[in-house]
Amino acid sequence: MEMEKEIQELRRQLANQQSSPVAPMPSVKAPTSDAASPKISSVPSQLDQFINSEQAVNSLLDLRSGLDGASHPRSLNGYVRPSRRLEGITLSQEQIQDLFHRFFAFFHPFMPLLEPTKTPDSYYDSSPLLFWIIISVAARHYSPDPSLLPSLSTPISHLLWATLADVPQSYIVVKALCILCTWPLPISSTSKDPTFMLNGLMMQVAMQIGLHRPSHAQDFARFKIEFREEELKDRSGWSETNFQLPEDVEARLSIERFCNKVTRSFYTNRLDPVGLVSDEQRSILSNFLARDLEEIEEKLPPDASVITFLYLRAAGLHFRLSAFFDSPESPDYHSHLLALWLSTSSFLECVFDLDKSAGGLLLHASNYILQMIIAAGFALLKLLNSFFADKVKLAYGRELFMKTIQAIRTISVATNDLPSRLAEVLAQLWKSGGSGLRKEQRRSNWAENSLQLKVRCRMSMSLVYDSVWRWREEFQAKGRGNLETAVKNPTNPDSNVESSASSTVDTGLPSQGLLGDVFPPSSNNLFGESNYEVFDPLGWMLDGYVNFPFDVSETPGLG
C-alpha cells in the first residue's frame, strides 16, 4: 500500500539523516487512500512543526488508524507522545497513563519488580511485551472499559510467543513472564493455561542469561559487557547477592524460602510412591518448621507492609495443610488439625481485614493469594462437616466460609473463569454436606477417618483436588454437574435452596465484575467451548472426562 511505502521511505530518510548531521528534512507527500485506510486528502499541517522525520512516521501511523495527531499530548520538547497499538487494539496516552497508575498503585505491591518512576514509553522501549502485560494486569476489573482485558488476551498471547521465539532473551522479558504468571490471563479451561509452562521458561531463560549469578554476568555472555550500577542492581534483585535488598523484599524472600522448605520437607520423599513422609517424620518436621515460622515473624521489620503479613499467613496455611495427610492414629493428629484450623482462620481474617482497610485488595490479589483462599475454603468445608466441628465455634466457622465464597467470586474477572467455577463447587458441596448444621445428627456415625484424602499426590493442594473428585461423583451422578450454567445463577451457600440451577444471587454478594457478561459471545477463542470442555487439571474431574479410580461413597465422611 502506498502509505506503507511512504512510511518506509520516511524511515529510510531518517536513517540517512541520523548518519549525516546536515541531512535535510524530508518532504512529505499526502498518500492516497486504499481499502485498508481511511481516505486522506492531505497531510495535516502539524507535520511541519515536527522536529525530525521520526515524528512524521508516528503521525502517518496515527493517520492510518484514523487518529488525529494534533490531539496527542506532547512532551516539553514538542515530541508527540504516541498512542500504542497491539493488533486491532489502540490505546490513547490518557488510557495508558491511567492503566499504568492503576498497576503501580494496586498490583505492583504484590510483586515489586518494576520501577514506578519510569514512564510508560520507557517500558515500551525496553520491551513491548512487558508494556502490554502491565496493561493487561491493570485492565483487571477496569470499570472504564470492562471489555479491554478479554480483548487483549489473544493479541498478548501472539506477542508473547513471538517474543519468546527470539533467542537469546533479555532479563526484561523474564520480568514480563514473572508478572504474567502472577496475574495470568483469564481462562475457563486450564488445559489451555500456559502458566506452568511459562514458569519453567522463565526460570530457564533467567539461568541462561545468568540472572542467578548477576555479579558474574560476563561468564554468560559472548562479548565483554559492562553494566552501570543501576543495571547491575536491577539484575541483582533476582538472586542473593552482596547488594542490600529492601527490608520488605528481604522479608518476602525469607517467606518464600520457608514455603519451599515446607514443600521439600513434606512432599519429596523418594522412598514413597507419592513423595509423602511418614507420620512420625511429619510430626518431627512440623515442630522444626513451626519454630522457623515463628522466627520469620519475629524478624519482620516493624514497618513491613500489610501484604508481607498476608504472605506470611499464607505460608502458615501452606505449612499446616499437611495435617490432612496425618493418620487418625497419629499421636499428634488432633493437635495438627487444631493448628490447621488456627492457620486457616488467621489467613482468612488477614485477607478480609486487608480488603476492608485497603479498599479492594481482593480485586488486585495475585493468583497465589487466590489459590490459598480457595484452599482455605476447602479446608473449612472439610473441617466444619466432620467430627472436628465439635471442637470449634460453628457459627464463626460458617461466617468465615460465607466470606470465603464471596472473596473468591470477587477475585473472578469473567463469567465461567476458574475462580467462579471453583466458588460454585464450594457452595454446592457446602449445601450438600449439611452447611455445617448436621453435626449433632451425624456425630454417632462420624468416624475420625472422615478427613482422610484419596487424592494425595498434589502436595498442599491435594485437599482441593480431592474435594473436586467428590463434587464430580455426587453432582454429575445427579445430572447437576454443568458448571457453565450454574455460575450464571450461582448457588447461595447460606440459603435453603438446594439446586444451583434455581437459586438466586444473595444481595449480600458483590455482583460487579463477578458474573457479568464480560466476554462477548463471539469470543470463541476464550469461552466459546462446549459445556463440557476439558478443564485440566481440575476440569477432567469437573467435567467428567476421567473415571474415578475409587468409589468416594465407600469412604466415611465423603459420601
Side-chain angles (χ1 to χ4, degrees):
M1 292 180 291
E2 187 168 344
M3 179 170 286
E4 292 177 339
K5 294 180 181 179
E6 188 75 28
I7 293 173
Q8 293 175 358
E9 175 62 21
L10 284 171
R11 285 174 172 162
R12 185 188 65 79
Q13 294 183 27
L14 174 61
N16 293 336
Q17 182 185 38
Q18 292 174 340
S19 63
S20 175
V22 296
M25 180 73 178
S27 61
V28 181
K29 298 181 179 180
T32 58
S33 62
D34 57 66
S37 305
K39 292 184 178 181
I40 304 172
S41 57
S42 62
V43 177
S45 59
Q46 284 85 351
L47 284 177
D48 296 333
Q49 303 172 12
F50 289 171
I51 60 174
N52 57 41
S53 300
E54 183 179 6
Q55 295 172 345
V57 172
N58 290 329
S59 179
L60 284 178
L61 287 172
D62 292 334
L63 291 170
R64 188 166 181 258
S65 297
L67 300 175
D68 182 6
S71 64
H72 290 180
R74 292 173 178 267
S75 62
L76 294 177
N77 64 2
Y79 180 73
V80 173
R81 295 160 62 189
S83 59
R84 298 298 181 186
R85 302 168 181 78
L86 184 62
E87 295 187 5
I89 300 172
T90 302
L91 295 180
S92 67
Q93 271 295 321
E94 290 76 9
Q95 290 174 301
I96 293 171
Q97 293 292 339
D98 184 36
L99 288 164
F100 264 70
H101 173 76
R102 278 177 52 84
F103 176 84
F104 284 105
F106 303 119
F107 296 93
H108 177 71
F110 284 94
M111 183 61 67
L113 294 180
L114 304 179
E115 177 52 59
T117 59
K118 290 181 63 176
T119 65
D121 289 340
S122 298
Y123 278 106
Y124 187 88
D125 293 340
S126 63
S127 171
L129 177 63
L130 177 58
F131 172 90
W132 285 107
I133 286 177
I134 293 172
I135 292 292
S136 72
V137 173
R140 300 169 71 91
H141 301 287
Y142 186 51
S143 55
D145 187 1
S147 65
L148 179 58
L149 178 59
S151 300
L152 283 169
S153 294
T154 298
I156 286 180
S157 295
H158 294 166
L159 177 62
L160 169 67
W161 296 113
T163 303
L164 292 177
D166 185 17
V167 179
Q169 295 292 345
S170 73
Y171 77 99
I172 301 297
V173 172
V174 177
K175 286 190 174 186
L177 290 174
C178 188
I179 295 173
L180 181 60
C181 292
T182 304
W183 291 278
L185 297 171
I187 57 167
S188 67
S189 171
T190 56
S191 62
K192 298 179 181 178
D193 181 12
T195 303
F196 189 75
M197 178 169 53
L198 293 177
N199 269 293
L201 281 172
M202 176 182 67
M203 297 298 295
Q204 294 300 323
V205 170
M207 294 186 67
Q208 183 181 19
I209 61 179
L211 286 185
H212 61 306
R213 296 289 185 268
S215 58
H216 293 78
Q218 185 63 61
D219 295 351
F220 299 87
R222 296 177 57 190
F223 307 100
K224 182 177 178 57
I225 55 176
E226 294 183 3
F227 291 116
R228 291 176 295 181
E229 183 178 357
E230 57 269 21
E231 292 176 328
L232 188 56
K233 287 184 178 180
D234 197 18
R235 292 171 62 95
S236 301
W238 298 90
S239 65
E240 301 177 43
T241 66
N242 293 328
F243 288 105
Q244 182 65 43
L245 295 174
E247 284 189 340
D248 213 41
V249 175
E250 184 65 41
R252 286 278 296 277
L253 183 59
S254 66
I255 293 171
E256 295 308 316
R257 290 197 200 102
F258 173 79
C259 290
N260 182 55
K261 187 175 182 179
V262 169
T263 300
R264 289 188 290 104
S265 298
F266 288 152
Y267 308 115
T268 58
N269 180 15
R270 297 182 180 180
L271 302 179
D272 184 78
V274 294
L276 298 175
V277 296
S278 66
D279 287 347
E280 182 180 359
Q281 291 174 311
R282 189 180 300 108
S283 180
I284 296 173
L285 290 170
S286 294
N287 292 332
F288 284 109
L289 290 169
R291 284 196 289 270
D292 290 345
L293 188 61
E294 290 176 359
E295 290 179 3
I296 292 174
E297 184 166 8
E298 291 172 356
K299 293 179 180 179
L300 286 181
D303 58 344
S305 70
V306 293
I307 292 180
T308 298
F309 281 100
L310 176 62
Y311 274 91
L312 179 68
R313 299 291 176 252
L317 177 58
H318 170 59
F319 164 36
R320 290 302 182 181
L321 283 168
S322 62
F324 284 112
F325 297 98
D326 283 353
S327 167
E329 290 76 29
S330 172
D332 297 319
Y333 184 53
H334 288 267
S335 63
H336 286 175
L337 289 178
L338 180 59
L340 169 63
W341 166 262
L342 294 175
S343 295
T344 302
S345 57
S346 176
F347 168 70
L348 290 175
E349 288 288 4
C350 185
V351 170
F352 304 145
D353 289 345
L354 289 182
D355 187 54
K356 183 178 180 179
S357 61
L361 175 140
L362 288 173
L363 295 176
H364 315 105
S366 64
N367 193 49
Y368 172 70
I369 296 300
L370 166 64
Q371 290 174 342
M372 297 312 297
I373 294 175
I374 291 171
F378 279 106
L380 288 177
L381 171 73
K382 200 83 168 173
L383 293 173
L384 295 176
N385 287 284
S386 73
F387 73 92
F388 186 80
D390 292 336
K391 305 180 184 299
V392 298
K393 294 181 179 179
L394 193 56
Y396 172 69
R398 284 172 52 81
E399 180 185 2
L400 277 182
F401 186 83
M402 300 306 158
K403 289 183 177 180
T404 301
I405 295 287
Q406 177 177 323
I408 297 171
R409 286 173 171 163
T410 299
I411 295 174
S412 169
V413 294
T415 302
N416 200 40
D417 63 358
L418 286 172
S420 62
R421 290 169 75 94
L422 288 172
E424 181 62 23
V425 168
L426 263 174
Q428 291 184 17
L429 286 173
W430 175 258
K431 291 176 66 64
S432 69
S435 304
L437 295 176
R438 297 193 292 174
K439 71 172 183 179
E440 293 295 335
Q441 293 88 334
R442 304 184 70 171
R443 184 189 300 167
S444 60
N445 298 323
W446 209 242
E448 288 207 351
N449 61 356
S450 60
L451 293 177
Q452 294 301 287
L453 303 179
K454 285 290 186 178
V455 177
R456 300 171 64 84
C457 58
R458 293 285 187 167
M459 302 185 182
S460 62
M461 290 291 109
S462 294
L463 166 67
V464 177
Y465 288 88
D466 184 88
S467 300
V468 175
W469 271 115
R470 179 161 63 91
W471 171 88
R472 180 196 154 191
E473 180 173 84
E474 179 175 347
F475 284 86
Q476 287 196 334
K478 298 178 182 179
R480 294 185 292 158
N482 189 334
L483 282 178
E484 186 171 340
T485 301
V487 294
K488 295 178 182 178
N489 196 12
T491 298
N492 177 4
D494 201 24
S495 73
N496 294 322
V497 181
E498 181 179 359
S499 172
S500 64
S502 60
S503 64
T504 58
V505 181
D506 185 354
T507 56
L509 297 178
S511 58
Q512 182 178 3
L514 304 186
L515 301 166
D517 188 12
V518 179
F519 287 83
S522 60
S523 299
N524 294 328
N525 57 319
L526 290 175
F527 294 99
E529 306 97 341
S530 63
N531 291 345
Y532 290 94
E533 163 69 3
V534 177
F535 189 59
D536 183 77
L538 290 178
W540 42 257
M541 299 182 286
L542 291 171
D543 293 331
Y545 273 93
V546 175
N547 294 325
F548 277 90
F550 47 82
D551 185 358
V552 176
S553 62
E554 296 177 356
T555 304
L558 296 183

